[in-house]
Amino acid sequence: MLFLSEEKGCADSGFLSLLAGYLRLELHGVRVSRISVAQAGALGLSTLPAFVTEEGKALFSSAGIAEKLLDSAGLGFFAGADSREAAALGRFFAYPREFEGKTPALLEQLNSELEGRFFLAGNSIRLADLFAFVLVAQAVFAAAPKERARLSNLERWFSHVQSMDGVRQNLKEAGVPLVPKLDLRQID
């Protein structure tokens, strides 16, 4: 059972909610429940998000939960098809600590990472893309059109990921805003 925070704006819960919806993990027996912090405490969970295995073991890190969800659904490849992609995933999971309070630097870093690439860690969407997508969604939503145009690699990637089947349908449940398509006529 995957327990997510019912509060909107929790990036970890948003990411795991988007992951569960995108991969249709309910078809693999994964149940998702949004609960309050008080409810989590009553269940003996020290923090949210949390994943409780059938054996009663609780996992609390987003990376550990994501890995367990993918493994239990037989979708381990989604974390990375090879060691290079898996290493990239680890790097992206470190971004919230590395760029805490430095959103412009994070956007610049991702823009640079995406130069000449469609996805962050492979030739198709991977876990790193969904994680980074949720991580920067609020900032992209709030960015002025001129700034979004300047970060052209990030804008292209973000627009593509947002429009993908399985992502767009799960944005609301994940607490991620739908970012309007950039209209270049809005730029002075």
Side-chain angles (χ1 to χ4, degrees):
M1 173 71 98
L2 177 59
F3 295 98
L4 303 175
S5 173
E6 67 182 7
E7 296 177 26
K8 298 296 181 193
C10 175
D12 288 336
S13 286
F15 157 65
L16 292 169
S17 177
L18 186 60
L19 175 65
Y22 178 76
L23 295 176
R24 301 180 65 197
L25 292 177
E26 76 279 359
L27 298 177
H28 300 279
V30 176
R31 293 191 351 241
V32 179
S33 180
R34 288 198 171 270
I35 61 174
S36 68
V37 173
Q39 289 170 314
L43 292 170
L45 301 172
S46 60
T47 187
L48 291 173
F51 180 74
V52 180
T53 66
E54 290 179 8
E55 299 81 31
K57 181 180 177 189
L59 302 173
F60 298 102
S61 80
S62 291
I65 292 170
E67 183 178 337
K68 180 68 175 172
L69 291 172
L70 293 174
D71 285 347
S72 65
L75 300 168
F77 69 89
F78 196 70
D82 57 31
S83 59
R84 183 187 57 78
E85 289 181 13
L89 177 61
R91 191 173 70 250
F92 292 113
F93 272 115
Y95 276 10
R97 287 184 307 282
E98 183 180 339
F99 290 98
E100 186 173 357
K102 304 174 193 169
T103 302
L106 173 59
L107 297 179
E108 292 286 348
Q109 176 67 30
L110 288 173
N111 190 60
S112 176
E113 293 264 355
L114 288 159
E115 188 170 344
R117 303 171 73 182
F118 286 104
F119 297 102
L120 289 168
N123 295 324
S124 61
I125 191 166
R126 296 280 192 247
L127 199 55
D129 294 288
L130 291 182
F131 183 76
F133 176 82
V134 172
L135 188 63
V136 300
Q138 292 291 341
V140 173
F141 181 77
K146 190 173 188 175
E147 181 67 4
R148 287 175 58 195
R150 189 182 70 72
L151 298 168
S152 60
N153 299 319
L154 177 67
E155 176 65 27
R156 173 189 38 78
W157 166 81
F158 190 90
S159 179
H160 180 67
V161 171
Q162 178 177 259
S163 69
M164 293 182 77
D165 286 341
V167 173
R168 188 177 196 90
Q169 296 90 327
N170 291 289
L171 292 177
K172 185 175 182 180
E173 181 64 28
V176 176
L178 178 63
V179 177
K181 187 169 172 72
L182 179 63
D183 183 353
L184 295 175
R185 296 174 296 185
Q186 296 176 334
I187 301 168
D188 27 16

